[in-house]
Amino acid sequence: MLGQDSAIDVYRQALPIILVSLVAGLFSGTLLGTEAMREGIESVPGILLLLPAFLATRGGVYGSLGARLSSGLHQGLIDPHFEWNDRLRNAIVASFCNGMIVSVFIAVLSWGVLLVLGREANLLELLIVLIVAALLSAFAMLGVLLTVIFKGYRRGLDPDNVIGPVVTTVGDVFGVVFLLIGISVAGVVL
Amino acid sequence: MSAGGNGARRDESAEEISEEWTVSGIVSTLVPLLIALSVLQMVSGTVLESFEEQLLVYPSLLVLVPVMIGTAGNLGSIMCARLSTQLHLGTLEFSPTNPDIRANVGAVIGLAATVFVLLGFAAWGIGRVLGGSLGLGTLLVITIVSGMLLAIWVVLVSTVAVYLSYRLGYDPDDTTIPVVTNVCDITGVLILFGVVTVVL
């Protein structure tokens, strides 16, 4: 029973998920360390500055959407099928807006911080990178999250137990890739 | 990360928040919280930015950043979720001699030791492939020292967060995980680069 586990029990239960997230983290770290990404980091001032905020935002946006959908399923407010009803649509549209609004804010904020630090900064470039990365993240995260939650729920999986790891794992892996795509798009457009 | 920003208003309006599901309601609750967290995250961003040259020369260090941050957050979430469950079950007593607290601390330290040793080897291997030049010994020192410091810090922050949340009357299930994951993001980067500065 929870609360009476020994350190070894807790260790055994938590180790698998910690290792999965270690592998996901290593994967995104490896992407960060690749030649292409290092060139991107060098070419767009501010990428490292906005990286932690960008990664954390997606955790917040889609983690809270997942928690909301999971509570909704438990309370019987939504059905465990993907149907385009008001409630589900509102939750999805709201999380999309949250992701986009906060990403635009992060672009402007990093630009401001770079100016304060006396570094070179290009607001338009940062905006393009973050808007592209946030849009792609929205599609990827919504797709994975909705699939895992609805399919999992129908198969008897409590979504509460899987949302956290799913959001961090998918977010870590895709976040860095989408920033890289954003950097190339900005390179092409500007 | 759950909708932790509702903490302060939860008692009066938990029902409406979970049942209304309006776009404006969700956006107006979460955007201010996310914006505040983004501003905080700029602290770790600034640290990363100031180490940019070293990071580009030693890709192993870039490999470490997301993992360090993520693992600290995971360990903090485990600690917080377990402490708050024990609080709800009435078995939690904030004392270093409490066997439950000892079990949690032991598990977190054990997990940290496992993960950060593996991480040292992995970062070295990946760094070699990416063309870095940091030695295995150096990387192991960096991951183990910063990882264990981080684990001790996570234990302290999580315990204090659960305790404060309980004393202030907020359900620690709602409030502590977002707070602790964010604190760990920032302090993880600070501790990692503190150790990097000393070692390199």
Side-chain angles (χ1 to χ4, degrees), chain A residues 54-70 91-103 131-146 149 159 162-164 166-168 170-171 175 178, chain B residues 1-3 26 30 34:
Chain A
F54 175 70
L55 293 182
T57 296
R58 283 146 346 97
V61 169
Y62 299 103
S64 74
L65 173 68
R68 171 179 301 278
L69 293 180
S70 139
I92 293 172
V93 171
S95 67
F96 180 79
C97 295
N98 285 339
M100 298 310 293
I101 294 170
V102 178
S103 299
I131 288 173
V132 169
L135 264 179
L136 293 174
S137 297
F139 292 126
M141 298 293 282
L142 285 172
V144 175
L145 202 58
L146 293 173
I149 288 180
V162 293
I163 292 159
V166 166
V167 169
T168 35
V170 178
F178 292 152
Chain B
M1 219 178 281
S2 67
I26 300 171
L30 265 176
L34 293 169

Side-chain angles (χ1 to χ4, degrees), chain A residues 1-7 10-11 14-15 18-19 21-22 25-26 28-30 32-34 38 41-42 46 48-49 52-53 56-57 59-61 63-64 68-69 72 75 77-78 87 90-91 93-94 97-98 101-102 105-106 109-110 114 117 119, chain B residues 1-3 17-19 21-23 26-27 30-31 34-35 38-39 41-42 44-46 48-49 52 55-57 59 62-63 66-67 71 74-75 78 82 85-86 89 91 100 102-104 106-107 110-111 114-115 118-119 122-123 126 130 182 185:
Chain A
M1 175 185 167
L2 202 65
Q4 292 172 346
D5 295 332
S6 71
V10 181
Y11 178 89
L15 191 60
I18 296 273
L19 289 179
S21 123
L22 173 73
L26 276 175
S28 64
T30 305
L32 266 184
T34 55
R38 278 186 279 162
I41 293 171
E42 267 181 308
L48 287 176
L49 180 63
T57 296
V61 169
S64 74
R68 171 179 301 278
L69 293 180
Q75 288 172 283
L77 290 174
I78 51 173
R87 223 174 228 137
N90 285 349
V93 171
C97 295
N98 285 339
I101 294 170
V102 178
F105 174 79
I106 291 173
L109 183 65
S110 334
L114 285 174
L117 295 175
R119 301 267 319 258
Chain B
M1 219 178 281
S2 67
I17 284 173
S18 61
E19 286 183 19
W21 292 40
T22 61
V23 174
I26 300 171
V27 171
L30 265 176
V31 164
L34 293 169
I35 283 184
S38 306
V39 173
Q41 295 286 349
M42 284 291 145
S44 39
T46 312
L48 284 182
E49 189 78 11
E52 180 167 333
L55 286 168
L56 296 175
V57 178
L62 269 177
V63 174
V67 196
T71 306
N74 285 339
L75 295 177
I78 293 174
R82 296 189 54 81
T85 299
Q86 285 159 5
L89 291 175
T91 57
D100 284 333
R102 286 186 167 196
N104 292 341
L111 287 166
T114 315
V115 170
L118 289 176
L119 184 58
I126 296 170
L130 295 174
N182 270 282
D185 276 1

Side-chain angles (χ1 to χ4, degrees), chain B residues 79-103:
Chain B
M79 190 79 194
C80 290
R82 296 189 54 81
L83 288 177
S84 35
T85 299
Q86 285 159 5
L87 193 69
H88 286 304
L89 291 175
T91 57
L92 183 62
E93 189 195 328
F94 287 98
S95 135
T97 54
N98 178 344
D100 284 333
I101 293 212
R102 286 186 167 196

